[in-house]
Amino acid sequence: MLLWIAVGLAGGAGALVRFGLDALVGERLGSGFPWGTLAVNLSGAFALGVIAGAAVHGHALTVAGTGLLGSYTTFSTWMLESQRLGEDGQPWLLVANLALSLVAGLAAVALGRAL
């Protein structure tokens, strides 16, 4: 039961931090491109790489990886924002969002693991 509570609390914290960072980045860089979601997902990929590289396992991995970072990062928002770019007639931004997120996300995980 304690693990479930820890995952829930970490998930709540991750969601709040995501909301804050997304809003801060979006406010500074504008809304023409989903910069906030990109910043959240890349920093989350980096953090998960650090956790994996540090060989965190067991309940600590469940709380940090699933609870905190699982709620911090967002695949669904990334896909929705990508789809909206296409709907808005911005196919190049759609492709850039998909490609940049994938390539930079893989690089962020690799860098995190290496550290």
Side-chain angles (χ1 to χ4, degrees), residues 77-90:
T77 301
W78 172 48
M79 287 294 100
L80 177 62
E81 290 172 341
S82 297
Q83 191 263 342
R84 283 184 179 160
L85 289 171
E87 278 184 351
D88 292 344
Q90 300 182 51

Side-chain angles (χ1 to χ4, degrees), residues 17-98:
V17 172
R18 175 178 108 65
F19 179 76
L21 180 61
D22 187 4
L24 179 69
V25 171
E27 185 178 288
R28 292 186 188 266
L29 297 179
S31 61
F33 186 82
W35 294 111
T37 300
L38 180 65
V40 164
N41 285 342
L42 294 182
S43 61
F46 174 78
L48 194 54
V50 169
I51 289 171
V56 174
H57 62 280
H59 293 323
L61 179 60
T62 301
V63 172
T66 302
L68 181 67
L69 294 175
S71 69
Y72 175 70
T73 58
T74 174
F75 180 82
S76 57
T77 301
W78 172 48
M79 287 294 100
L80 177 62
E81 290 172 341
S82 297
Q83 191 263 342
R84 283 184 179 160
L85 289 171
E87 278 184 351
D88 292 344
Q90 300 182 51
W92 293 111
L93 289 180
L94 164 63
V95 171
N97 190 40
L98 294 174

